[in-house]
Amino acid sequence: MIALTLALALFADPSLGRPMPTRAALTVEPAPATAVELAPAPMLQSVAVTLECTAFADGHVGDCVVLEETHPGLGFGEAAIALMRDATTDRASADHRFARTIQFMP
């Protein structure tokens, strides 16, 4: 009866009775690339933001607005405005507007 069970097992599973495949036989070769691979996004080499601000007579700077930025929508305009929040100038007899370009370097 045991012999019959072994014989049926050998016929039911053809891998039984065969030597185990080697590790080299189990490795799968990568499929050749058929799709177009996307190039990585270019690093931002430099970003420039031009602001227009008010220099108040007491020396503090405020009321800054972004006039132009090289990469809009990435947050550099808001960062430039934040940088100018603590800026000061020499005291003057009257308020005046000025423009400043801030360069962000990697």
Side-chain angles (χ1 to χ4, degrees):
M1 184 71 165
I2 294 176
L4 180 61
T5 307
L6 279 174
L8 288 175
L10 286 174
F11 287 114
D13 189 359
S15 67
L16 293 176
R18 294 186 185 159
M20 292 294 293
T22 63
R23 186 170 189 78
L26 293 176
T27 58
V28 177
E29 293 294 321
T34 55
V36 176
E37 294 184 22
L38 298 176
M43 255 183 55
L44 297 177
Q45 294 300 316
S46 69
V47 176
V49 178
T50 303
L51 299 175
E52 184 179 37
C53 301
T54 300
F56 295 100
D58 66 357
H60 79 276
V61 175
D63 296 336
C64 294
V65 294
V66 176
L67 294 179
E68 182 180 359
E69 56 184 311
T70 56
H71 295 84
L74 296 180
F76 290 103
E78 292 83 7
I81 290 173
L83 287 171
M84 292 300 289
R85 282 193 189 120
D86 296 328
T88 58
T89 63
D90 293 334
R91 292 180 179 262
S93 58
D95 298 347
H96 64 276
R97 299 285 290 167
F98 68 95
R100 170 71 40 98
T101 299
I102 298 176
Q103 290 283 129
F104 293 90
M105 303 299 285

